[in-house]
Amino acid sequence: MSTIFHKIQRREIPAEIVYEDEHLFAFKDIAPQAPVHVLFVPKQDFATLNDVPDNQPEIVGRLALAAAKYAKAQGFDEDGYRIVMNCNGDGGQTVFQIHLHLLAGAPLGRFGTPV
Ligand code: 5GP
């Protein structure tokens, strides 16, 4: 698989990478929807959340906990934040390597309204 996120991971295209370990990496979204908008991406390849096997819940869990740690390190954990994973068309997914959005930095609007 080769999505734009794989190219960011390989440093083939620029991005502001804010975290990386053996399991995942995180970088600032190119079109931020909040003052803080960071994407957390596993290094294992799964196109959508539907593709993560039942016996690998850690793939998703690590993304959420990495986002929470980032929030704490940046000092906005108490003010709050939102994590989101979009899946397929109705979910608004546009890049088919699973990723978790971390949004923060201001009170966020409600969500889930059909367009
Ligand atoms: P999705 O819509 O799949 O849930 O989220 C994909 C996200 O990737 C979008 O928020 C979009 O702005 C972001 N994105 C797409 N291309 C790039 C890129 O080249 N660099 C960065 N940093 N973010 C990107």
Side-chain angles (χ1 to χ4, degrees), residues 25-43:
F25 61 107
F27 54 94
K28 294 189 179 177
D29 197 290
I30 201 168
Q33 302 299 306
V36 176
H37 189 171
V38 176
L39 303 173
F40 291 79
V41 184
K43 289 186 174 175

Side-chain angles (χ1 to χ4, degrees), residues 11-62:
R11 276 54 173 185
E12 290 170 9
I13 62 169
E16 196 173 338
I17 296 176
V18 298
Y19 180 77
E20 183 162 21
D21 64 24
E22 68 268 44
H23 301 296
L24 62 95
F25 61 107
F27 54 94
K28 294 189 179 177
D29 197 290
I30 201 168
Q33 302 299 306
V36 176
H37 189 171
V38 176
L39 303 173
F40 291 79
V41 184
K43 289 186 174 175
Q44 271 182 273
D45 287 338
F46 299 103
T48 79
L49 186 57
N50 295 337
D51 302 308
V52 178
D54 284 351
N55 65 355
Q56 289 186 269
E58 68 277 10
I59 298 292
V60 179
R62 283 193 192 107

Side-chain angles (χ1 to χ4, degrees), residues 54-114:
D54 284 351
N55 65 355
Q56 289 186 269
E58 68 277 10
I59 298 292
V60 179
R62 283 193 192 107
L63 299 181
L65 293 184
K69 277 185 201 159
Y70 181 80
K72 189 163 193 175
Q74 296 294 310
F76 59 80
D77 55 322
E78 294 296 330
D79 283 342
Y81 54 90
R82 179 175 296 159
I83 60 173
V84 176
M85 287 185 83
N86 298 326
C87 184
N88 280 335
D90 282 1
Q93 186 174 4
T94 58
V95 178
F96 288 86
Q97 163 64 351
I98 64 165
H99 51 280
L100 179 138
H101 296 254
L102 170 65
L103 300 150
L108 300 169
R110 297 305 298 171
F111 54 90
T113 311

